[in-house]
Amino acid sequence: MKLKLIAISSIVTATVLTATIVNAQFAKPEAAIKYRKAALTVMGTHFARIGAVAKGEVPYNKEEVAKNAAIVSSMSHLPWQGFGPGTEGGDALPSVWSDSAKFTNLSEKLTAATAALNTAAQSGDLDAIKKAVGATGQACKACHDDFKKKG
Amino acid sequence: MKLKLIAISSIVTATVLTATIVNAQFAKPEAAIKYRKAALTVMGTHFARIGAVAKGEVPYNKEEVAKNAAIVSSMSHLPWQGFGPGTEGGDALPSVWSDSAKFTNLSEKLTAATAALNTAAQSGDLDAIKKAVGATGQACKACHDDFKKKG
C-alpha cells in the first residue's frame, strides 16, 4: 500500500513538476545558475547512494533505495527550468542554448530513466535496479558529454 | 482528483523523506555542506515564488502556487540530513551542533509550516495561503536567527 502510494506520488509529482518548467522565472541569471546547480546536486547525491548499492559498496536495503529513487525521480524534473534564455554560464557549455533541442531531448531521457529507476526501486528487484542505475548513469553522462564543461 | 493526489503525494513523500534522514550518509563534511545548501536553495527558490504572490508582486495562479508549495513541502525534509556530526561549517553557526535539540525542533516546525502551506495552496484559498506564507517565513527566520551566520 505504502509503495503503491509512492508510485502514485512519483507520477503526480512528475506531472506537477513538468508543468512548472514553462512558467518558471528567475530574477537574475545567477539565481538560475545557482538553482540548477543546487537541483542537480540534490539529485546527484541521492542517485550516488543508489549507485553505491548497485556497485556492491553498500548493502542493499529496499526501503532506503526506494526512498532515494523517489527523490531522484522527483528532482529530475527541476534543473531544466534553470537553463532558460540568457542564463549562460556556470558549468554549462554554450551548446545548451545553441543546440537546445538536443539538450531538451537528453533532459527528457534522464527524466524517463529516473522514472524507470524509481519503478525498479519500488519493486525491490535488485537486478532491475542495477540495470536502471546503469541506464540512468548513461543518461547523465550523455548530457554531460555534450553540454557540461570538463574538469 | 488531481489535487487530492497531490495532497496524498505530499503526505507520502513526507513520510518517506523523514525516514531517510536517520540513515543518510556523506563521504566528506564538504559534501554534506554542499548538499544542505543545495536543498535549502531549491526550497527557498520555490518558496520565494509563492512569497511574491502573497506580496502581490505576481498575480495569483492557483495551479502555480500549488505546484511550488508541493515542492517546498517535499524539499523541507531534506536539508537536515546534511547537518550531521562533524559537518560544521558553511553558513551554519556552531550552535547547530551545541544546541542540536533546539535546531531539530525548529527544523520540524519549518517542515510542519510547509505542510500547512501546501494544504492551503492545494485548497486555493488565497487568504489562507498568505497566512501560511507568513508562518513559513517566520519558521525560516526563527532558525536563521539562531543558527545561520549573518551577512
Side-chain angles (χ1 to χ4, degrees), chain A residues 22 25 69 79 137 150:
Chain A
V22 178
Q25 286 177 357
K150 310 299 172 267

Side-chain angles (χ1 to χ4, degrees), chain A residues 5-6 8-9 12-13 16-17 19-20 23 25-26 34-35 38 41 45-46 49 64 67 71 75 81, chain B residues 5-6 8-9 12-13 16-17 19-20 23 25-26 34-35 38 41 45-46 49 64 67 71 75 81:
Chain A
L5 284 176
I6 293 169
I8 292 169
S9 160
V12 174
T13 309
V16 171
L17 300 186
T20 303
N23 296 312
Q25 286 177 357
F26 294 92
K34 186 179 176 185
Y35 174 85
T41 292
T45 300
H46 292 278
R49 290 181 189 166
E64 282 299 310
K67 287 172 209 160
I71 297 169
M75 293 304 301
Q81 63 188 273
Chain B
L5 283 176
I6 293 169
I8 291 169
S9 160
V12 174
T13 308
V16 170
L17 299 186
T20 303
N23 296 312
Q25 287 178 357
F26 293 93
K34 186 179 176 186
Y35 173 86
T41 292
T45 300
H46 292 278
R49 291 183 188 164
E64 282 299 311
K67 287 172 208 160
I71 297 170
M75 293 304 300
Q81 64 188 271

Side-chain angles (χ1 to χ4, degrees), chain A residues 25-39:
Chain A
Q25 286 177 357
F26 294 92
K28 298 177 188 172
E30 296 73 30
I33 294 170
K34 186 179 176 185
Y35 174 85
R36 70 200 189 205
K37 282 189 181 189

